[in-house]
């Protein structure tokens, strides 16, 4: 165990500093996206989840150790009861530069303004298609209008950044790449295209067949735009491009298969049960719920556990589309 120095930072064995935490506040969701979870998903019993107070303690401990960006994610974060209290409490902590949210937008009409008032700086919103029938197919139960209305409500609140996240699957939505980029240009918001990651067993489609690479998307878009690599970063894995003549919208790529981003990894995740995951694609973890419940009110013990966890942060993921081995964790448990 390494002793906790007064100004400790989180630095792993490979010299990478952890400054960004993704905090999953629930594994539950009001949608069932086909790449994320099975139709009959078995959720974690509520009794096993961290309380909102425990989640705040985790956030505070990370901030004391130099973390300056926290993304609230899930599952769908906005279905967790009383979640606004957590946003408000985190939003007041000195040292937190960026408080961000990933959401499917179904409840943003109601929550966009309170989120802005609580100090949320940026919102990522999942949107894979602009066709209502396809939206229903890809989310199994969703109503496209609710999500589009939620996006408009967020745009009206003037966040620092709104970014659409699109998981591209061949033969499901790859023909909508241009339409989605134009939708974002019209609204002056950014978009990231994501390569599907092999998290959790998937009986819906063959991930190797549905793979659509970021390079292919760049090629598709170059038929219509000039793409210029951008130096912009939001401290995450996205590589951004500027579109010449459209300064109001950027196109980003999250490419776990084609452009491995592990070398510059600055992130860890905490699941809704309080399991600190040190890599998206590996099982190395630490049970923060156990640490907190064994040492109630002792924030030093929690911080010490976070510092110690740096010893087991792995070098990178080994995602392999053709492997029979997949992580058992679905993305809603992992916190995307
Ligand atoms: N419910 C919220 C949402 O959909 O934005 C937040 C949680 S969701 C798990 C976070 C992000 O993970 C979304 O952008 C979603 O598209 C992405 N995602 C889910 N499953 C994925 C997978 N297997 N591969 C890549 N991205 C995935
Ligand atoms: Fe829910 Fe987000 Fe997963 Fe879709 S991607 S099922 S919205 S958690």
């Amino acid at each position: 165990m390494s002793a906790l120095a007064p100004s400790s930072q989180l630095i792993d064995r490979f010299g990478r500093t952890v400054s960004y935490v993704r905090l999953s506040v629930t594994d539950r969701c009001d949608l069932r996206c086909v790449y994320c979870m099975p139709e009959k998903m078995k959720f974690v019993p509520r009794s096993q989840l961290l309380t909102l107070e425990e989640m705040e303690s985790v956030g505070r401990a990370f901030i004391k150790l130099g973390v300056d960006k926290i993304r609230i994610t899930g599952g769908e974060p906005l279905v967790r009861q009383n979640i606004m209290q957590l946003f408000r409490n985190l939003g007041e902590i000195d040292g937190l530069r960026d408080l961000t949210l990933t959401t499917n937008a179904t409840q943003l009409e109601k929550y966009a303004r309170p989120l802005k008032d609580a100090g949320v700086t940026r919102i990522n919103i999942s949107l894979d298609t602009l066709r209502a029938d396809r939206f229903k197919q890809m989310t199994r139960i969703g109503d496209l209008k609710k999500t589009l209305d939620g996006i408009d409500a967020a745009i009206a609140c003037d966040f620092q950044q709104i970014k659409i996240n699109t998981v591209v699957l061949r033969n499901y939505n790859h023909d909508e790449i241009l339409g989605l980029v134009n939708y974002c240009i019209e609204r002056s918001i950014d978009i990231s295209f994501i390569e599907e990651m092999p998290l959790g067993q998937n009986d819906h489609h063959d991930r190797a067949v549905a793979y659509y690479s970021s390079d292919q998307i760049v090629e598709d878009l170059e038929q219509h735009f000039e793409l210029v690599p951008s130096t912009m970063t939001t401290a995450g894995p996205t590589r951004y491009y500027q579109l010449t003549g459209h300064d109001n919208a950027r196109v980003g790529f999250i490419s776990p298969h084609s452009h491995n981003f592990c070398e510059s990894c600055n992130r860890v995740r905490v699941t809704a049960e309080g399991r600190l995951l040190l890599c998206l694609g590996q099982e190395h973890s630490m049970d923060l719920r156990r640490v907190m419940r064994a040492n109630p009110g002792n924030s030093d013990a929690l911080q010490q556990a976070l510092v110690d966890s740096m010893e087991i942060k792995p070098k990178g993921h080994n995602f392999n589309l053709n492997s029979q081995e997949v992580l058992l964790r679905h993305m809603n448990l992992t916190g995307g």
Side-chain angles (χ1 to χ4, degrees):
M1 191 191 278
S2 42
L4 184 63
S7 59
S8 286
Q9 276 194 320
L10 296 172
I11 301 176
D12 76 359
R13 291 171 298 153
F14 307 98
R16 298 171 299 190
T17 301
V18 170
S19 57
Y20 176 7
V21 174
R22 296 190 175 188
L23 197 53
S24 172
V25 294
T26 179
D27 63 328
R28 287 161 201 265
C29 188
D30 51 353
L31 301 182
R32 297 284 183 277
C33 300
V34 295
Y35 46 75
C36 179
M37 60 169 87
E39 190 162 13
K40 297 204 184 334
M41 181 74 194
K42 202 157 170 266
F43 295 108
V44 174
R46 284 205 173 83
S47 59
Q48 290 182 22
L49 301 183
L50 291 191
T51 64
L52 292 177
E53 291 74 20
E54 287 171 328
M55 286 178 182
E56 184 186 332
S57 300
V58 170
R60 282 186 187 279
F62 272 115
I63 293 166
K64 283 213 179 102
L65 292 168
V67 163
D68 63 1
K69 175 169 177 178
I70 295 183
R71 173 171 298 285
I72 302 296
T73 182
E76 173 47 41
L78 299 179
V79 305
R80 172 99 193 222
Q81 240 181 355
N82 299 326
I83 189 63
M84 286 310 304
Q85 194 57 50
L86 180 65
F87 282 107
R88 283 192 289 271
N89 293 353
L90 290 176
E92 283 175 357
I93 303 176
D94 283 339
L96 186 60
R97 185 182 47 83
D98 232 356
L99 177 58
T100 66
L101 162 71
T102 305
T103 176
N104 62 26
T106 59
Q107 310 215 32
L108 271 186
E109 259 199 297
K110 175 171 159 202
Y111 285 122
R113 177 55 60 191
L115 286 164
K116 170 81 177 164
D117 293 345
V120 170
T121 47
R122 307 165 194 272
I123 303 191
N124 287 355
I125 300 174
S126 297
L127 178 69
D128 302 318
T129 171
L130 292 165
R131 287 175 38 178
D133 55 340
R134 216 177 244 188
F135 189 84
K136 180 140 274 163
Q137 276 167 14
M138 290 190 75
T139 62
R140 296 198 181 97
I141 46 179
D143 170 7
L144 176 65
K145 183 171 182 313
K146 250 178 156 181
T147 287
L148 296 183
D149 288 349
I151 295 172
D152 288 340
I155 291 172
C157 291
D158 209 18
F159 288 93
Q160 271 176 36
Q161 187 193 27
I162 293 180
K163 180 165 69 103
I164 299 300
N165 275 343
T166 302
V167 176
V168 179
L169 301 183
R170 185 182 293 279
N171 297 332
Y172 286 90
N173 64 343
H174 79 267
D175 54 344
E176 287 196 64
I177 291 164
L178 178 62
L180 285 159
V181 169
N182 282 328
Y183 169 89
C184 291
I185 290 173
E186 283 159 22
R187 286 161 184 78
S188 297
I189 58 178
D190 298 330
I191 182 164
S192 278
F193 292 107
I194 305 175
E195 292 176 352
E196 186 188 13
M197 302 173 207
L199 295 179
Q201 205 56 260
N202 183 333
D203 298 330
H204 178 268
H205 56 271
D206 181 331
R207 283 178 167 138
V209 175
Y211 175 59
Y212 203 81
S213 75
S214 298
D215 291 343
Q216 182 63 58
I217 298 173
V218 170
E219 220 173 89
D220 294 352
L221 287 174
E222 279 176 340
Q223 311 287 320
H224 307 273
F225 302 102
E226 185 189 19
L227 274 72
V228 183
S230 161
T231 51
M232 171 174 153
T233 166
T234 50
T238 309
R239 295 175 294 125
Y240 283 101
Y241 288 75
Q242 205 70 56
L243 302 174
T244 303
H246 302 284
D247 292 342
N248 57 340
R250 283 150 300 207
V251 176
F253 296 93
I254 301 175
S255 322
H257 299 290
S258 59
H259 293 262
N260 184 301
F261 41 63
C262 299
E263 199 174 304
S264 57
C265 181
N266 60 350
R267 294 172 290 288
V268 293
R269 295 171 162 77
V270 181
T271 71
E273 299 165 273
R275 185 169 164 223
L276 172 64
L277 287 171
L278 294 145
C279 174
L280 172 66
Q282 306 272 8
E283 291 297 349
H284 303 66
S285 71
M286 187 173 271
D287 184 353
L288 300 182
R289 185 182 58 187
R290 192 188 55 71
V291 174
M292 280 189 284
R293 294 187 184 171
N295 302 277
N298 180 351
S299 67
D300 283 353
L302 183 54
Q303 284 180 59
Q304 184 67 61
L306 300 180
V307 170
D308 292 345
S309 74
M310 291 298 103
E311 290 297 315
I312 55 166
K313 184 167 165 61
K315 193 166 183 197
H317 67 68
N318 309 313
F319 287 149
N320 179 350
L321 281 168
N322 296 309
S323 166
Q324 292 307 308
E325 266 181 57
V326 286
L327 286 173
L328 294 174
R329 255 186 296 118
H330 285 96
M331 191 60 132
N332 68 307
L333 286 173
T334 308

